[in-house]
Amino acid sequence: MTLLFDSPLVNGALDVLANGVLDFSWWQVLLVGLLFTHITIASVTIYLHRHSAHRSLDLHPAVQHFFRFWLWMTTGMTTKAWTAIHRKHHAKCEQEEDPHSPQIYGLKKVMWEGAELYRAESKNQDTLNRYGHGTPDDWLERNVYLKHSVVGISLMMIINVTLFGALGAAVWAMQMAWIPFWAAGVVNGIGHFWGYRNFEAQDASTNLTPWGIIIGGEELHNNHHTYPTSAKFSVKPYEFDVGWLYITLLSSVGLAKAKKTAPRLAYGEVRPVADEKTLEAVIAHRYEVMAGYARQMRDQLAKEVAALKAGAVDAQIVKAATRWLHRDAEKVPAAAAEKLTQARAAWPVLDKMVTMREELRQIWLNTGRNREQLTGDLQAWCKRAEESGIAELREFSMKLRAVRVA
């Protein structure tokens, strides 16, 4: 018996179980594990999100199948379920039917139980039928990926242990937790709760950081919710979307093709009056237009605060005005509403800018008026702005009359 356990064959097998066929050190295993998880993130953002859910990107069939196979091994998720749940999230965002809104369920639940919310919604056949159209329905999807998801993640475990030995089990555990934590928890949770906003989208979406690397560009969540059909998530010069970098590389060798990106705001000569072309450009770029208006309001607020004597206005009022004054009224929390009322009373110019901001917003919200009537509304708004005696409003109105569709 002792001779049996001392045999080279047995010793070799035990060595493989302990160290794997690659015999990597712990830091080499960690690097490979991080590479594996990054491939999973890239698979989710490029294939599931941009290609399947939003159709903003075409991928070569070979690339599509690589992503499907990799996700089968590393997450057990199917294309149809993920696509359907994400489309429903956009259709019902921040409403009771939203599958994973922290505004509905609370941040703690979405952050730590996001995977459970996903699994529960994936069993909702109505969601799959209504929102899962256009997803793969071939033999492999029906007979392998859908029926045998456990086989995929089990295969990944075998591969990891074979390559890295005992540390392979830790790599596998990290892979299994990666998407539930970063995508289901961080993006779906914190990405609708905390961060900065480039645009006043119709939901609570935020950008977590300007540099989308760890979560493949999904950090730029407010940008995505503003322009959901854009294959590129970064919109500002200082923002970076690593998913878009990979798409660009795939496109350079003919393996991908972006179908749409966010519209770019362009300017020409200032028109004497706003016309139908101006209206078309303003509506097409309404989020960028309102972001520009918010900057004008913040500049005016800074001037008002600088002109104050120390203690003339409560610091909490200034803080609330800085944070909320440029936001849509329905997005302002009740706790800040009273402070904003006081701010508007203290600064009549800002009060006027808030009023005119809402009037401008109504131009594209008022669906009961025709194109000619809306053009007249825009002309009247520009006239009021330029005759208001407020330099920021006059400057903004003139820029508005120069807006073009890029």
Side-chain angles (χ1 to χ4, degrees):
M1 184 66 70
T2 302
L3 292 175
L4 177 63
F5 280 101
D6 284 341
S7 69
L9 183 62
V10 172
N11 288 336
L14 292 174
D15 183 64
V16 168
L17 285 174
N19 304 304
V21 296
L22 297 179
D23 197 23
F24 278 178
S25 62
W26 70 266
W27 65 266
Q28 290 174 312
V29 173
L30 178 61
L31 287 178
V32 175
L34 291 174
L35 174 63
F36 283 178
T37 55
H38 192 71
I39 294 172
T40 303
I41 286 286
S43 302
V44 170
T45 188
I46 296 171
Y47 170 67
L48 288 179
H49 196 181
R50 310 186 204 207
H51 167 78
S52 182
H54 292 289
R55 300 299 187 196
S56 61
L57 172 71
D58 282 335
L59 291 172
H60 188 279
V63 176
Q64 292 182 45
H65 196 86
F66 167 77
F67 286 140
R68 285 169 64 192
F69 178 71
W70 185 263
L71 289 166
W72 176 64
M73 290 198 304
T74 58
T75 68
M77 298 187 303
T78 62
T79 303
K80 185 171 186 174
W82 197 98
T83 298
I85 293 169
H86 186 73
R87 287 173 178 169
K88 184 175 182 178
H89 164 62
H90 276 267
K92 306 293 182 180
C93 197
E94 322 297 11
Q95 301 173 40
E96 189 175 346
E97 294 179 71
D98 188 331
H100 44 63
S101 169
Q103 308 299 320
I104 304 299
Y105 294 101
L107 178 60
K108 182 178 179 181
K109 185 173 182 66
V110 176
M111 182 71 188
W112 301 112
E113 300 177 42
E116 285 73 14
L117 291 171
Y118 169 87
R119 277 192 285 270
E121 191 64 34
S122 69
K123 297 174 183 177
N124 185 339
Q125 196 58 46
D126 179 68
T127 296
L128 300 182
N129 293 340
R130 182 175 300 184
Y131 298 102
H133 53 83
T135 52
D137 190 31
D138 54 19
W139 185 91
L140 276 171
E141 192 72 22
R142 293 191 305 270
N143 295 283
V144 179
Y145 299 149
L146 184 59
K147 285 187 177 181
H148 304 292
S149 59
V150 175
V151 173
I153 57 179
S154 299
L155 177 61
M156 192 76 249
M157 166 69 98
I158 294 169
I159 291 171
N160 285 341
V161 172
T162 302
L163 293 177
F164 311 121
L167 284 177
V171 172
W172 181 84
M174 180 171 68
Q175 286 179 284
M176 294 303 106
W178 205 256
I179 291 300
F181 176 74
W182 287 109
V186 175
V187 175
N188 293 340
I190 300 177
H192 281 262
F193 202 87
W194 178 89
Y196 73 96
R197 286 166 64 92
N198 284 329
F199 308 105
E200 193 66 9
Q202 299 301 308
D203 50 58
S205 59
T206 60
N207 293 327
L208 299 173
T209 71
W211 311 286
I213 299 173
I214 295 176
I215 324 178
E218 299 292 334
E219 293 92 331
L220 298 163
H221 204 54
N222 174 246
N223 295 354
H224 166 63
H225 269 259
T226 304
Y227 300 110
T229 59
S230 173
K232 182 182 180 183
F233 291 171
S234 57
V235 296
K236 301 295 184 182
Y238 54 83
E239 293 175 339
F240 176 71
D241 170 14
V242 73
W244 177 249
L245 172 63
Y246 298 150
I247 291 167
T248 302
L249 293 174
L250 289 170
S251 298
S252 69
V253 292
L255 296 177
K257 182 180 180 181
K259 296 165 68 175
K260 192 173 182 180
T261 56
R264 292 186 300 166
L265 186 63
Y267 295 95
E269 293 184 2
V270 179
R271 290 187 169 98
V273 294
D275 56 19
E276 289 194 4
K277 290 291 185 183
T278 311
L279 175 70
E280 178 186 346
V282 166
I283 292 176
H285 297 286
R286 58 192 179 277
Y287 295 112
E288 190 74 33
V289 165
M290 296 309 281
Y293 196 96
R295 287 192 293 272
Q296 295 286 82
M297 292 185 69
R298 284 193 289 266
D299 289 346
Q300 181 61 35
L301 176 61
K303 291 179 184 178
E304 299 279 5
V305 172
L308 288 174
K309 294 181 180 179
V313 175
D314 189 329
Q316 291 300 314
I317 294 177
V318 175
K319 182 179 179 181
T322 303
R323 176 69 179 86
W324 297 106
L325 200 61
H326 63 284
R327 300 289 299 275
D328 296 343
E330 59 268 24
K331 301 295 193 309
V332 177
E338 184 180 349
K339 297 292 185 186
L340 291 191
T341 300
Q342 295 175 37
R344 293 178 66 172
W347 296 305
V349 170
L350 283 169
D351 180 59
K352 178 68 172 178
M353 292 185 75
V354 171
T355 299
M356 292 205 65
R357 178 187 182 278
E358 182 58 28
E359 291 174 359
L360 179 60
R361 195 166 72 103
Q362 289 305 313
I363 290 175
W364 52 80
L365 294 179
N366 196 342
T367 57
R369 296 175 68 78
N370 61 35
R371 188 183 183 92
E372 183 179 349
Q373 290 171 326
L374 290 175
T375 301
D377 292 342
L378 181 59
Q379 291 172 352
W381 188 93
C382 289
K383 188 173 187 296
R384 291 197 304 276
E386 291 169 32
E387 293 177 353
S388 66
I390 301 172
E392 281 72 18
L393 273 177
R394 183 176 184 279
E395 178 185 342
F396 181 81
S397 176
M398 293 184 68
K399 287 184 70 175
L400 208 60
R401 289 193 279 119
V403 169
R404 301 289 189 273
V405 175

